[in-house]
Amino acid sequence: MIEHLHPRITENKDWATLLFVLCFAVIAITKSIYESRFGDFTKLIFSDKYAKIYRDSSHIKSGFTIALFFLQIISFAFFIQLILSSFGYASKTDWVLYIQIVTLLAFFILSKYLIEKIIATSFNIDEFIEHFNLQKVTYRAYIGILILPINAILFYYDDISKNVLLTILAISLFISLLSYFISIKTYQNVILSKLFYFILYLCTLEIAPYYFIYYWFTKGRA
């Protein structure tokens, strides 16, 4: 006779499964519609062909870029939640927290883009900032798609090593920094002609926001 019955508590991962399936479906559809462009995009880390062909600022509002933006937000949000979970700050299956992270990420990126547009107009460097933003969006999307299958594996793996997550984070930051150097090299003539405005833009919108996020996060832990 069973004297004590304990209800089995399981974590709900269905919402994550649906999102992963949706993301892979978006990738498949995007690849089908933009087959040639997607092929060049996948070789981004090895070749600058994609950056040269699709450097026009009009591409930043194309269906391809919008689909990649959706994928990177979903992927980065999963990765952030996995890091928070690994360090004991949250549960990786908390869908409410995930929605909050997605909202904050989207708000941060879009707000930053709008502010950049305003400042670019004020400094008369609109065209350069549009190209620069397109480069950043492209490389961010590339990183997001690279870590998406890793997110899917780690999400269903119970014992996640912090070193694995930190290694992935370090590689992602390296690729991100590499994209900045590539962009600066590509537009070095424009940058040199407007060096003061570029330095001001770099300090105001490319360094300060991340510094304040880091300060807020580390101060919150203290």
Side-chain angles (χ1 to χ4, degrees):
M1 181 177 177
I2 301 176
E3 295 181 355
H4 301 285
L5 294 175
H6 297 282
R8 184 183 179 186
I9 300 174
T10 58
E11 295 179 316
N12 183 8
K13 299 180 180 179
D14 293 345
W15 62 271
T17 303
L18 288 173
L19 276 176
F20 284 128
V21 171
L22 177 62
C23 285
F24 290 122
V26 170
I27 292 174
I29 293 170
T30 305
K31 182 179 182 298
S32 176
I33 297 175
Y34 305 94
E35 186 173 356
S36 177
R37 184 173 179 178
F38 192 87
D40 293 333
F41 173 76
T42 57
K43 302 170 187 173
L44 188 64
I45 196 67
F46 308 107
S47 170
D48 60 351
K49 181 181 177 182
Y50 181 91
K52 288 180 177 178
I53 296 175
Y54 304 100
R55 61 183 295 175
D56 190 89
S57 59
S58 62
H59 289 294
I60 201 167
K61 297 175 183 177
S62 68
F64 184 84
T65 306
I66 292 171
L68 294 186
F69 176 76
F70 166 79
L71 290 170
Q72 68 177 271
I73 292 292
I74 298 297
S75 183
F76 288 149
F78 267 117
F79 187 69
I80 291 171
Q81 188 151 338
L82 285 171
I83 290 179
L84 292 175
S85 174
S86 179
F87 283 87
Y89 292 106
S91 169
K92 65 182 179 182
T93 57
D94 187 346
W95 62 272
V96 175
L97 175 62
Y98 182 80
I99 292 174
Q100 292 173 340
I101 294 172
V102 166
T103 304
L104 283 172
L105 266 179
F107 177 77
F108 175 75
I109 293 174
L110 292 175
S111 298
K112 188 168 174 290
Y113 173 72
L114 291 174
I115 294 171
E116 286 174 354
K117 290 276 289 182
I118 294 171
I119 292 179
T121 302
S122 304
F123 292 165
N124 196 27
I125 51 174
D126 307 62
E127 186 177 354
F128 163 68
I129 295 301
E130 283 291 319
H131 291 152
F132 197 58
N133 271 321
L134 181 59
Q135 290 272 69
K136 289 191 299 179
V137 168
T138 300
Y139 278 92
R140 276 204 313 262
Y142 190 80
I143 296 169
I145 291 179
L146 279 180
I147 66 174
L148 182 62
I150 299 173
N151 288 335
I153 294 170
L154 295 179
F155 186 83
Y156 297 101
Y157 188 72
D158 292 330
D159 189 18
I160 305 174
S161 171
K162 294 183 179 68
N163 292 332
V164 172
L165 291 171
L166 291 176
T167 300
I168 296 170
L169 179 61
I171 293 172
S172 299
L173 289 175
F174 172 76
I175 296 175
S176 183
L177 287 173
L178 180 64
S179 72
Y180 275 96
F181 286 118
I182 292 173
S183 297
I184 290 172
K185 182 180 178 181
T186 303
Y187 303 108
Q188 58 182 335
N189 293 331
V190 179
I191 291 172
L192 289 173
S193 65
K194 299 180 182 293
L195 187 59
F196 172 76
Y197 295 122
F198 177 73
I199 293 174
L200 189 61
Y201 159 82
L202 202 64
C203 294
T204 305
L205 292 171
E206 295 299 327
I207 297 175
Y210 300 104
Y211 171 78
F212 285 120
I213 289 173
Y214 171 77
Y215 176 78
W216 171 76
F217 183 73
T218 53
K219 185 180 179 181
R221 291 177 59 185

